[in-house]
Amino acid sequence: MHSLRALSTILFAGFAVQTAGLGFISKPGMQVKPYKRELLQDIVTWDEHSIFVHGERVLFYSGEFHPFRLPVPGLWLDVFQKIRALGYTGVSFYVDWALLEGKPGSFSAEGIFAFEPFFEAASKAGIYLLARPGPYINAEVSGGGFPGWLQRVPGIFRNPNPAFENATDLYAKSIGEIIARAQITNGGPVILFQPENEYYDCLDWVDPCPNPIYMQYVEDQFRDAGIVVPYIVNDNNEGNFAPGTKAATDIYGIDNYPLGFDCGSPYTWPANALATYLTETHLENSPTTPFSYIEFQGGSFDPWGGWGFQQCLELVGYQFERVFYKNNFASAVTIFSIYMTYGGTNWGNLGHPGGYTSYDYAAVIKENLMVDREKYSEAKLEANFVVASPAYLTSVPANLSNTSYTTTSRLSVTPLLDDESDTKFYVLRQSYGSKTILIVYGGEGEQHELAVSNGGEGTLSEGDGVQMGKRNGATVLNWSTSSSRRVVQLGCGLTIYILDRNSAYNYWVLKLPNENGLYAPSGQEASTVIVKAGYLMRNATISGDTLNLVGDFNATTDIEVVGGAPNNLATLNVNGQASEFTQDEYGVASTSVSFNPDISVPSLSSLDWKYIDSLPEIKPGYDDSLWRNADLTQSYNDKINITTPVSLLGADYGFLTGTLLFRGHFTANGNEEDIFLETQGGSAFGSSVWIGDTYVGSWAGYDAAANGNDTYTLPNLQSGSEYVITVVVDQQGMDENYVVGENEMKSPRGILRYRLSGHAASDVTWKITGNLHGEDYEDKTRGPLNEGGLYAERQGYHLPGAPIDSWSSSGGPTEGIDSAGIAFYGAELELDLPSGWDVPLSFTFVNSTSANAPGSSAYAYHVQLYVNGFQYGKYKNHIGPQTSFPVPQGIWDYHGTNYIAFALWSLEADGAKVEGLELTVNGTILSGYGDIPMAPMSNWEQRQGAY
Ligand code: IPT
């Protein structure tokens, strides 16, 4: 690991040389193939180095962010601003088809699913977009983006197959047109487009693999919908769909996750993870297009029973960034997108079974939107450095494949660094006035040397301990890094701030908006204001002699505008408030923001909890006449041959999400001893069985088990009497569909087999339900996946305005139930949080037996939690690892009444209770962001035909 670090240091220093104007690694001649398809527009172009927008080279330094994982449109600008504050210029986003076409033939992208607010927010923040609508996206979402009803579509997916291809048509046309309207050719932020995703992996018999006929079909769909910006491919470095190949895209790109996804041993990096051959393979695969990472590891997913994102952060934290991102810069990557940059939440059943509710991903921006990870600060320093170095865009890497130290000799010609040091040059240039600022930083105690050609005389205007001299016409500075700042003014007009790394974290480079109030995404020519503050700076604007700063503060903070303030600053506004300030002879303006939070939230135990039984199905006399008869003697799903007399698979009857329930009617003959059931719901699912109102048993499940076989002993039944078997199965979402030919997403959900002793299988007549009205789902505002088939969900009791007054009084989920069953608790919760404060809240499940340690076998129960109708958490006590569930403002009303609800399903005979449950304040941040409108959402109404 040590040598990796040293290597990256040297590579980075290579850029430092260039930055300081002392030359750069020379480039070998480029061999350019003649191929380039005819452009459909002339705004976004490219050569072998980079893309151009309006003729200007652009570094597409991007963060992946999925709007559907943050269903509050009013927060999308917040994410964009936090990404721009990193110094990035772009965002890559997936679209999840499953959320937009819940019923085949009905496409809907309204409210929280609308894209226009997303595009507007990107434009406002000055962020270019790479659109990635699939139709297949993977992305750890249910079906990899494929709607559950595709289980009924025959044949192989992601391969030439008219049934499948036609099933994608409406989606491709509808989303294609929406994205087309937001292309830069129409004044929007979309500059790049990726059809399909990671299309290269097949079973052996699939030939050819990947299939260019299918790929062409996808490309044509989106071209027909009006997409004209360049197509980019996300490949695995095999050259698929590179220019010059069949079904070629315009720009070839790859993905790379060098550390993988196992957060189990976070302090061991796999051998040879630091790829040094990628530049060469790129030149073989696609010499005419820029070296492009469409996805580079930005964190990790984590499965049920996994290690938790805190531990993933150890694996893929700031150390990882320092080594691996710099290695990418050494490959002169100019389309560089980091997956994920904000992960978000698998709310409302949108995730696949391989993941739990949090999709934090250990990304730089936390799931709760906070930016206090060191990883964020490190990413900011690196991005600002590269973005501030225009020559980077045309640089060509030296050949790194022979020896890791190829560049050393080149570096030695410049009086810069020794191999062990970690100095970085951070930001330069702001163009207001005539000042140029260079910020350099290193680790404390390290010895550094910096040379500036034609630097002129140096004066130390702050601090001491910097030796200055001249060598070959360059001004040479020497120092040992410490936590006290040094500032050097050079005769050539350069101001150099010498910092240690932790201090550098507090510096922000804020682009100034253009005359239309918009931020130029390209970053190359924009004027900037450079501010030392603290937690987050979002914006700076200047009008005349007034400087307006917008930022967020998590402590009393001194602010210093080190560059870019008007020389005779008259007014300095911070978050709209005029602040007292001073301005020194170098134009540096100083002020401070004080911080006096007064925040409190109600304790959950103080609420007036109400309870209703959410398993009335087992009660004598329960009427299931409105349930769907399970009467299909064959399944539409061609992945399996059913062995039950009728299909007991949810998707056959349009129940694609959340809990499934089955009722099997039969007449007892007295020979019943036991019942065998194989149920399948995806990893970590559970199922429970009752006969009449007698509990028979549960498959409690464990992390990796997608299905379960169990034989349950039955009580004595009375011959000649009618009985009903009730089976509850927890669907965990559809599997992804990564490997073509495997059709993994068709892995069915429901009851695969059963055997009632003393009976033929056909003695049992089945009924099935899932969410109310299946694909004609009730709740159009929260979409097709949010609500499952629990009784309380079918009634809409998770929605604000549910008639809880008529329910029983209760102590809530911590009181619990004393027998197997499903309880539903609702309560109103008033929040009165002060405006102008960002107060991330989460529900914390307390588990004093540390049941969530992987491998533990504490007692089994599930909880689904809802805030104002949005299912924002699935907690599994015996599986874990997630115990803390953030819910964003905008789902919460911070200034009014909220409705929270909990479904508690005990998979144990003696019931379950949540040991402890708290509403936790995760931060108190004085924020300049402004109001956050509530996500569009509907209230409870009595539902027609609910059962
Ligand atoms: C890559 C997928 O393209 C992306 O959608 C996501 O699933 C990611 O993996 C993991 O989070 S595929 C890559 C691992 C080969």
Side-chain angles (χ1 to χ4, degrees):
M1 194 151 133
H2 180 75
S3 68
L4 297 185
R5 275 218 194 115
L7 168 61
S8 83
T9 299
I10 290 166
L11 297 173
F12 209 75
F15 299 115
V17 177
Q18 172 267 322
T19 302
L22 295 177
F24 192 52
I25 299 168
S26 67
K27 50 173 166 181
M30 294 289 301
Q31 187 209 336
V32 178
K33 279 192 193 165
Y35 178 84
K36 193 184 260 189
R37 80 166 76 210
E38 206 174 318
L39 292 179
L40 300 167
Q41 46 76 44
D42 59 5
I43 298 178
V44 188
T45 57
W46 67 94
D47 66 6
E48 72 275 25
H49 296 299
S50 75
I51 56 168
F52 299 79
V53 178
H54 291 296
E56 189 190 351
R57 281 197 188 277
V58 166
L59 176 61
F60 186 74
Y61 199 129
S62 151
E64 180 89 12
F65 154 42
H66 303 149
F68 59 85
R69 281 185 158 120
L70 178 61
V72 182
L75 284 170
W76 293 339
L77 179 63
D78 181 47
V79 177
F80 284 130
Q81 288 183 346
K82 285 169 176 165
I83 291 177
R84 192 193 60 204
L86 287 163
Y88 297 8
T89 57
V91 159
S92 160
F93 70 101
Y94 277 140
V95 180
D96 186 353
W97 175 16
L99 292 169
L100 304 180
E101 194 177 351
K103 178 183 183 180
S106 302
F107 176 93
S108 169
E110 307 284 322
I112 60 170
F113 302 109
F115 290 87
E116 292 75 13
F118 183 72
F119 297 139
E120 276 162 32
S123 295
K124 201 165 174 189
I127 289 284
Y128 283 139
L129 296 177
L130 159 59
R132 308 200 302 150
Y136 185 69
I137 60 171
N138 211 60
E140 290 75 71
V141 293
S142 179
F146 285 168
W149 50 261
L150 275 190
Q151 290 201 343
R152 303 194 300 267
V153 172
I156 299 301
F157 296 167
R158 309 175 72 201
N159 210 42
N161 166 7
F164 167 69
E165 289 167 337
N166 295 343
T168 67
D169 282 347
L170 174 66
Y171 167 71
K173 179 173 159 38
S174 310
I175 192 65
E177 287 172 355
I178 289 171
I179 295 169
R181 286 196 286 276
Q183 292 175 106
I184 194 165
T185 48
N186 297 322
V190 175
I191 59 166
L192 294 167
F193 188 99
Q194 181 199 305
E196 248 289 345
N197 183 58
E198 288 280 333
Y199 177 47
Y200 54 69
D201 202 354
C202 314
L203 294 183
D204 285 350
W205 53 265
V206 178
D207 183 34
C209 171
N211 192 312
I213 296 174
Y214 164 66
M215 186 65 173
Q216 192 62 52
Y217 188 88
V218 179
E219 293 178 25
D220 291 347
Q221 281 178 316
F222 290 120
R223 287 284 185 233
D224 291 348
I227 301 296
V228 294
V229 294
Y231 274 175
I232 197 159
V233 62
N234 183 27
D235 188 42
N236 67 336
N237 208 29
E238 284 175 352
N240 297 306
F241 313 113
T245 63
K246 285 186 194 158
T249 55
D250 299 305
I251 297 175
Y252 180 73
I254 59 173
D255 65 15
N256 192 1
Y257 292 82
L259 296 192
F261 305 99
D262 179 2
C263 305
S265 27
Y267 304 109
T268 312
W269 287 351
N272 305 320
L274 195 69
T276 52
Y277 54 87
L278 293 169
T279 316
E280 279 164 39
T281 48
H282 175 72
L283 288 174
E284 283 160 24
N285 288 332
S286 188
T288 58
T289 65
F291 182 60
S292 304
Y293 274 121
I294 313 310
E295 290 175 24
F296 192 84
Q297 182 152 27
S300 177
F301 56 73
D302 194 45
W304 285 104
W307 300 92
F309 288 111
Q310 200 50 43
Q311 188 158 323
C312 295
L313 190 61
E314 299 295 322
L315 176 70
V316 283
Y318 65 95
Q319 308 276 20
F320 163 74
E321 293 177 313
R322 276 185 204 158
V323 173
F324 284 84
Y325 293 2
K326 291 173 192 173
N327 186 53
N328 296 338
F329 305 143
S331 302
V333 61
T334 66
I335 295 178
F336 181 35
S337 194
I338 296 163
Y339 188 108
M340 297 297 297
T341 291
Y342 173 69
T345 308
N346 295 321
W347 64 277
N349 303 306
L350 73 81
H352 78 144
Y356 43 92
T357 305
S358 175
Y359 196 66
D360 177 273
Y361 215 83
V364 292
I365 305 174
K366 287 180 182 173
E367 180 183 10
N368 68 10
L369 293 163
M370 289 178 75
V371 292
D372 56 352
R373 285 184 173 154
E374 183 158 6
K375 189 177 179 180
Y376 181 92
S377 303
E378 174 64 27
K380 179 181 69 167
L381 295 186
E382 293 184 22
N384 271 306
F385 173 78
V386 183
V387 170
S389 309
Y392 174 75
L393 282 164
T394 48
S395 66
V396 171
N399 182 352
L400 301 174
S401 58
N402 316 333
T403 151
S404 24
Y405 290 92
T406 324
T407 56
T408 312
S409 61
R410 296 182 192 282
L411 285 175
S412 67
V413 303
T414 60
L416 254 174
L417 310 169
D418 66 68
D419 291 0
E420 302 300 303
S421 91
D422 210 9
T423 296
K424 276 161 219 122
F425 290 68
Y426 167 26
V427 164
L428 69 164
R429 176 181 357 86
Q430 51 77 32
S431 61
Y432 204 93
S434 58
K435 231 163 81 171
T436 299
I437 294 183
L438 176 63
I439 299 176
V440 300
Y441 66 93
E444 251 200 91
E446 290 173 357
Q447 201 55 45
H448 296 294
E449 187 170 81
L450 162 69
V452 180
S453 60
N454 303 315
E457 284 311 308
T459 323
L460 201 56
S461 62
E462 185 180 322
D464 50 34
V466 179
Q467 283 78 50
M468 291 184 254
K470 288 272 177 62
R471 213 181 294 154
N472 301 335
T475 309
V476 180
L477 313 182
N478 277 285
W479 70 90
S480 162
T481 299
S482 80
S483 59
S484 60
R485 181 170 85 172
R486 275 73 64 94
V487 183
V488 176
Q489 313 285 344
L490 291 188
C492 65
L494 184 69
T495 304
I496 302 173
Y497 282 77
I498 298 175
L499 309 172
D500 68 321
R501 179 182 293 102
N502 284 339
S503 307
Y505 287 162
N506 290 323
Y507 287 69
W508 302 85
V509 183
L510 306 173
K511 279 185 215 163
L512 290 170
N514 66 20
E515 57 285 2
N516 304 319
L518 294 174
Y519 293 88
S522 77
Q524 295 308 316
E525 300 307 328
S527 301
T528 54
V529 171
I530 300 175
V531 179
K532 172 182 171 285
Y535 177 78
L536 171 71
M537 290 307 294
R538 296 172 184 269
N539 283 321
T541 51
I542 291 173
S543 68
D545 51 14
T546 298
L547 172 63
N548 304 295
L549 297 176
V550 178
D552 294 15
F553 306 93
N554 64 357
T556 293
T557 303
D558 291 332
I559 299 179
E560 229 182 319
V561 186
V562 302
N567 274 335
N568 294 304
L569 187 66
T571 310
L572 175 56
N573 294 318
V574 180
N575 292 346
Q577 303 248 307
S579 311
E580 277 183 31
F581 67 93
T582 56
Q583 190 170 30
D584 72 10
E585 58 182 300
Y586 301 103
V588 174
S590 303
T591 185
S592 77
V593 169
S594 59
F595 177 85
N596 304 300
D598 180 15
I599 306 286
S600 65
V601 296
S603 97
L604 295 180
S605 58
S606 71
L607 302 183
D608 185 10
W609 288 98
K610 300 289 189 165
Y611 159 85
I612 194 167
D613 175 20
S614 188
L615 197 64
E617 293 89 347
I618 62 169
K619 293 280 158 58
Y622 176 80
D623 178 5
D624 63 14
S625 57
L626 289 174
W627 287 38
R628 178 78 158 87
N629 292 321
D631 53 7
L632 293 172
T633 53
Q634 287 186 344
S635 174
Y636 292 107
N637 185 332
D638 64 9
K639 192 179 167 78
I640 60 153
N641 290 316
I642 57 166
T643 56
T644 47
V646 292
S647 164
L648 298 174
L649 307 178
D652 275 332
Y653 303 96
F655 301 119
L656 308 175
T657 185
T659 315
L660 296 172
L661 289 96
F662 300 86
R663 282 169 58 82
H665 296 250
F666 68 98
T667 307
N669 57 22
N671 297 326
E672 299 83 5
E673 278 172 13
D674 55 34
I675 182 167
F676 162 82
L677 282 158
E678 180 181 3
T679 52
Q680 178 161 297
S683 305
F685 90 109
S687 59
S688 294
V689 187
W690 285 262
I691 190 150
D693 60 1
T694 305
Y695 176 64
V696 198
S698 289
W699 169 262
Y702 56 92
D703 49 10
N707 64 339
N709 295 321
D710 246 333
T711 301
Y712 305 105
T713 305
L714 293 175
N716 288 334
L717 305 183
Q718 199 169 346
S719 181
S721 292
E722 305 259 309
Y723 286 89
V724 179
I725 305 162
T726 301
V727 183
V728 183
V729 181
D730 175 28
Q731 291 194 86
Q732 293 275 73
M734 305 306 176
D735 292 333
E736 293 176 316
N737 210 81
Y738 193 74
V739 181
V740 178
E742 193 63 74
N743 273 0
E744 300 110 303
M745 80 77 56
K746 287 186 184 173
S747 296
R749 303 288 179 246
I751 299 175
L752 302 190
R753 290 186 293 154
Y754 66 90
R755 192 178 57 244
L756 175 62
S757 63
H759 286 268
S762 56
D763 286 355
V764 187
T765 311
W766 290 94
K767 295 232 167 190
I768 178 172
T769 192
N771 67 303
L772 186 65
H773 300 147
E775 287 163 22
D776 289 308
Y777 55 96
E778 289 286 312
D779 181 357
K780 297 294 186 268
T781 64
R782 296 174 188 80
L785 299 183
N786 182 63
E787 104 188 18
L790 295 177
Y791 166 75
E793 291 178 305
R794 301 194 313 261
Q795 298 292 331
Y797 290 161
H798 55 298
L799 300 175
I804 61 172
D805 287 348
S806 60
W807 304 355
S808 336
S809 286
S810 150
T814 51
E815 183 180 273
I817 47 177
D818 54 16
S819 60
I822 304 175
F824 197 79
Y825 305 92
E828 291 191 337
L829 185 150
E830 298 286 331
L831 287 177
D832 182 18
L833 293 166
S835 294
W837 287 82
D838 174 16
V839 185
L841 299 179
S842 62
F843 289 102
T844 310
F845 287 74
V846 180
N847 195 319
S848 53
T849 58
S850 48
N852 296 290
S856 99
S857 56
Y859 75 108
Y861 68 85
H862 297 174
V863 176
Q864 289 189 178
L865 70 89
Y866 311 79
V867 175
N868 293 325
F870 289 83
Q871 193 257 80
Y872 241 87
K874 283 179 89 160
Y875 170 80
K876 297 190 187 233
N877 187 59
H878 54 305
I879 296 176
Q882 189 176 1
T883 54
S884 169
F885 294 80
V887 180
Q889 186 177 356
I891 297 299
W892 283 116
D893 183 348
Y894 276 14
H895 316 292
T897 306
N898 296 275
Y899 175 60
I900 61 174
F902 290 76
L904 170 66
W905 171 4
S906 163
L907 295 104
E908 307 273 354
D910 51 2
K913 66 172 183 157
V914 177
E915 272 181 59
L917 184 63
E918 282 162 13
L919 184 60
T920 310
V921 173
N922 297 116
T924 44
I925 302 147
L926 183 59
S927 173
Y929 184 65
D931 289 344
I932 296 163
M934 291 295 288
M937 59 177 80
S938 56
N939 287 338
W940 182 81
E941 285 172 31
Q942 184 83 47
R943 290 183 166 183
Q944 297 299 311
Y947 48 83

